[in-house]
Amino acid sequence: MNKKLILVTNDDGITAPGIRALVTEMQLLGEVVVVAPDSPQSGQGHAITLTEPIRLKKVDIFKGIEAYECTGTPVDCVKLAKNVILKDRTIDLCVSGINHGSNASINIIYSGTMSAAMEASIEGINSIGYSLLDFSYNADFSAAASYARRIAHEVLRNGMPESNLLNVNIPAVPMNEIKGIKVCRQAEGNWNETFQEGKDPRGQKYYWLTGEFDHKEHEEDTDLYALEHNYVSIVPSAHDLTNYKAIPELGKFEKL
Amino acid sequence: MNKKLILVTNDDGITAPGIRALVTEMQLLGEVVVVAPDSPQSGQGHAITLTEPIRLKKVDIFKGIEAYECTGTPVDCVKLAKNVILKDRTIDLCVSGINHGSNASINIIYSGTMSAAMEASIEGINSIGYSLLDFSYNADFSAAASYARRIAHEVLRNGMPESNLLNVNIPAVPMNEIKGIKVCRQAEGNWNETFQEGKDPRGQKYYWLTGEFDHKEHEEDTDLYALEHNYVSIVPSAHDLTNYKAIPELGKFEKL
C-alpha cells in the first residue's frame, strides 16, 4: 500500500512547538512534507501575496522530513506546496497547526491556521486545522497531538462525509481531563476591541490592536460550549459564505 | 431627521478611483466618514495587524468629507473606525469598494474589500461590499456607482431582512446594457494557480503568484451566471462557516 501524503503547515511559523508536535504525530500516519511560514503569521486570515515575490527555502529541522520555510502567508504556503513542491503528486490530507491559541467561534475568520486549511479544502484536499487553547510557547501539546493523530487517522481511512474541512480545537487541560470529542457548530461571538494608543520614538501617534473575546452565546451545540466543558470541538466548515435563508427575503432588491 | 452615518472603506487604497465614486454616491444618502488603507491591500483577506502598531492620518482629499488613511489592512480600518474614530456614534451602514475587479464566487474569501464589509457585519453593522468586474485604474464606475447608491439607499431605508452583509458585483458594461439585479448564491469556483519563477538581482530564486480563475459551475442561481448575463449580482453572505449538513454525518468522530 502506498503511504499517504500529508502536507503540514501552520501560521505560528515553522519553528513553533505546535507544528513540531503535529509533524511527530503525522509521521506515524504517512509521508510528511512541511511547508510553513518562516515567521509568525497569526491573524493573517486568508491573505495572499500578490504584489511581491515570495521565497522558499528547504530546511533540515525535522529529522528525516522534507520541509520548506516560505516568506509568504499560510495560504501562500499551501498554494506553493500544491502547485510547485508537490505539483506531480496527490496530497491525501492537509493539516494545519497545532495553533497556539483558540480558533473556535469567529476566530476561524481571522486565523491563518484555518485559512491555510481552508485553502487546501478549496483545492479539493481533505483538510484539518488544529488549535490548542493555550497561547504560550511552552504549552503542553501532548493531549492535542494525540487527538490530532486520531482525527487525521480516521479521515485518512474513511474520509469525512459531506465535508472536507474540519476546525478542531482542544481545551488546555491534561489528557485525563478531556471528556471526549463533540461535533458542533461555530458559536456566535466577536472581539470587543480597544486600541492601545501611544507615541513612537519619533513622537508619532500609533494604535495597537488589543481586545477581549466576547462569547455571544453558550448553546450546547456550539464549539465554545464543548470547549468550556473540556471536550475537543470539531466544526465541519465551508467556504461557501452564502446566507441561503436571506435569498428569498431579498427578492425586492431585484426591483431596484 | 438625523442624517445617516455611513462608513466608507476599500482595499485598493484611499486614492483609488473606485472609492471616490462610492464616496460621491454615499454623500447623497447621509454623512460620510472614510477610513481606508494608505496603500493597495488586494488579497489581504481577513488579515488583521497584531504584531505591530498602525497609524492613522486625517487627509483632505474628498471635498468636505472627514477622511483618514490607515497603514493597516482593510479590516484594521473598520476596527479603528468603530472603536476609535466613531467610538461614540452609531454607524448606520458600512460600504466597501468599489473594488477594481470581481469579488464573485470564491473571491469573497481572498478579498480585502469583502473582509472589511464582513468585519463591520460581525460588529452588527449592516454592510455592503461593491466590486466592478474591471481591474483597470481607468475603469468606468458610472453604472456601478448608480447601483451602489440604489442598493445602499434601500438598505438604509428598510434594512436587509435575515442578513447584514451583501456581496454586490457589477458587470463591466455600460449602464444601458445592465439587465437588472439578481439575488443569488456564491458560485463554486477556484483559482488554478501557477507561480512565475525567476531570479532576483542577487541571484535568489523567487515565486510570484499568478493564475486563472476556474468557473466550476454555471448554474442559473449563482453570481457568476448573473454576471455573465449582465445582471448585477447580490449574494447575502455570512460569517458562520459551519457546514451544517455535515454535522450529523460526522457523529462517528465523537467515538474516537
Side-chain angles (χ1 to χ4, degrees):
Chain A
M1 196 186 80
N2 280 340
K3 260 186 143 178
K4 299 286 190 178
L5 178 58
I6 305 170
L7 171 65
V8 180
T9 189
N10 78 343
D11 78 350
D12 291 312
I14 199 164
T15 62
I19 194 170
R20 180 165 292 273
L22 192 54
V23 166
T24 303
E25 299 297 324
M26 293 303 120
Q27 277 186 280
L28 304 171
L29 303 179
E31 178 191 348
V32 171
V33 174
V34 180
V35 185
D38 65 359
S39 64
Q41 299 275 332
S42 293
Q44 276 293 309
H46 215 94
I48 50 176
T49 305
L50 295 175
T51 55
E52 51 187 277
I54 53 181
R55 321 294 174 127
L56 202 58
K57 193 162 89 185
K58 198 164 185 175
V59 290
D60 184 19
I61 62 170
F62 303 107
K63 205 175 164 194
I65 300 275
E66 187 177 340
Y68 302 85
E69 62 182 26
C70 168
T71 58
T73 67
V75 172
D76 290 332
C77 289
V78 171
K79 288 184 183 290
L80 266 173
K82 178 171 185 288
N83 297 294
V84 176
I85 301 165
L86 300 169
K87 193 183 163 82
D88 303 315
R89 303 189 58 190
T90 299
I91 302 168
D92 295 297
L93 179 67
C94 171
V95 293
S96 181
I98 300 169
N99 192 61
H100 294 236
S102 172
N103 281 318
S105 182
I106 196 66
N107 295 297
I108 187 174
I109 301 271
Y110 303 98
S111 164
T113 300
M114 284 310 302
S115 295
M118 179 176 285
E119 179 61 25
S121 80
I122 292 169
E123 299 283 356
I125 300 165
N126 280 338
S127 267
I128 314 171
Y130 298 104
S131 308
L132 174 65
L133 272 63
D134 185 340
F135 280 105
S136 66
Y137 185 85
N138 297 312
D140 175 5
F141 282 96
S142 54
S146 164
Y147 277 96
R149 187 188 66 245
R150 277 186 257 176
I151 295 165
H153 184 55
E154 173 62 22
V155 169
L156 283 169
R157 238 179 6 180
N158 299 315
M160 39 175 133
E162 297 286 341
S163 179
N164 70 356
L165 174 61
L166 303 181
N167 182 13
V168 178
N169 283 267
I170 301 106
V173 297
M175 189 70 182
N176 61 7
E177 291 178 28
I178 294 183
K179 290 195 190 132
I181 295 174
K182 289 265 189 219
V183 179
C184 18
R185 68 176 171 88
Q186 174 185 326
E188 198 54 30
N190 69 324
W191 285 85
N192 286 330
E193 267 104 8
T194 44
F195 282 87
Q196 193 188 94
E197 299 185 22
K199 290 215 167 156
D200 72 15
R202 269 152 292 284
Q204 301 297 309
K205 189 164 186 180
Y206 67 75
Y207 300 88
W208 209 320
L209 185 61
T210 174
E212 279 187 4
F213 184 69
D214 184 12
H215 294 214
K216 277 247 171 59
E217 60 168 5
H218 298 260
E219 301 299 315
E220 283 198 29
D221 60 345
T222 64
D223 53 359
L224 292 181
Y225 184 93
L227 291 161
E228 280 162 6
H229 291 80
N230 286 352
Y231 285 90
V232 172
S233 67
I234 299 182
V235 178
S237 302
H239 56 265
D240 179 359
L241 308 189
T242 309
N243 178 359
Y244 285 94
K245 69 178 187 299
I247 290 180
E249 304 291 334
L250 293 172
K252 64 177 173 175
F253 282 76
E254 299 195 347
K255 298 185 188 75
L256 294 179
Chain B
M1 194 187 82
N2 279 339
K3 258 186 145 179
K4 299 286 189 176
L5 178 58
I6 305 170
L7 171 64
V8 180
T9 188
N10 78 343
D11 77 350
D12 291 312
I14 198 162
T15 61
I19 195 171
R20 179 163 293 272
L22 191 55
V23 166
T24 303
E25 299 297 325
M26 293 304 120
Q27 276 186 281
L28 304 172
L29 303 179
E31 177 190 349
V32 171
V33 175
V34 179
V35 186
D38 65 0
S39 63
Q41 299 276 331
S42 292
Q44 277 293 309
H46 215 95
I48 51 177
T49 305
L50 296 174
T51 56
E52 52 189 277
I54 54 182
R55 323 291 175 130
L56 202 57
K57 194 162 90 185
K58 198 165 185 174
V59 289
D60 184 20
I61 62 171
F62 303 105
K63 204 174 167 192
I65 300 275
E66 187 177 341
Y68 303 84
E69 62 181 25
C70 168
T71 59
T73 65
V75 172
D76 291 332
C77 290
V78 172
K79 287 183 183 292
L80 266 173
K82 178 171 185 289
N83 297 294
V84 176
I85 301 165
L86 301 169
K87 194 182 162 85
D88 304 314
R89 302 189 59 190
T90 299
I91 301 169
D92 295 296
L93 178 68
C94 171
V95 292
S96 182
I98 301 172
N99 191 62
H100 294 235
S102 172
N103 281 317
S105 183
I106 195 66
N107 295 297
I108 187 173
I109 301 269
Y110 303 97
S111 163
T113 300
M114 284 311 303
S115 295
M118 179 177 285
E119 179 62 25
S121 79
I122 292 169
E123 300 283 357
I125 300 164
N126 280 339
S127 266
I128 313 170
Y130 298 103
S131 308
L132 174 65
L133 273 62
D134 185 340
F135 280 104
S136 66
Y137 186 85
N138 297 313
D140 174 5
F141 282 96
S142 55
S146 164
Y147 277 97
R149 186 188 68 246
R150 277 186 257 176
I151 295 166
H153 184 55
E154 173 62 22
V155 169
L156 283 169
R157 235 179 8 180
N158 298 314
M160 38 176 137
E162 297 285 341
S163 179
N164 71 355
L165 175 61
L166 303 181
N167 182 13
V168 177
N169 282 268
I170 301 106
V173 297
M175 189 70 181
N176 61 7
E177 292 179 28
I178 294 183
K179 290 194 191 133
I181 294 174
K182 289 265 188 220
V183 179
C184 18
R185 67 177 173 88
Q186 174 185 324
E188 196 56 30
N190 70 325
W191 285 85
N192 287 329
E193 268 104 6
T194 44
F195 282 88
Q196 190 189 96
E197 300 185 21
K199 290 214 166 159
D200 72 14
R202 269 151 293 284
Q204 301 296 310
K205 190 165 185 177
Y206 67 74
Y207 300 88
W208 210 320
L209 185 61
T210 173
E212 278 188 4
F213 184 69
D214 184 11
H215 295 213
K216 277 245 173 57
E217 60 168 5
H218 297 261
E219 301 299 314
E220 282 199 29
D221 60 344
T222 64
D223 53 0
L224 293 181
Y225 185 93
L227 291 161
E228 281 162 6
H229 292 80
N230 286 353
Y231 285 91
V232 172
S233 67
I234 299 183
V235 178
S237 302
H239 57 265
D240 179 358
L241 307 190
T242 309
N243 177 359
Y244 285 94
K245 71 179 186 300
I247 290 180
E249 304 291 334
L250 292 173
K252 64 177 174 175
F253 281 77
E254 299 194 346
K255 297 186 187 77
L256 292 179

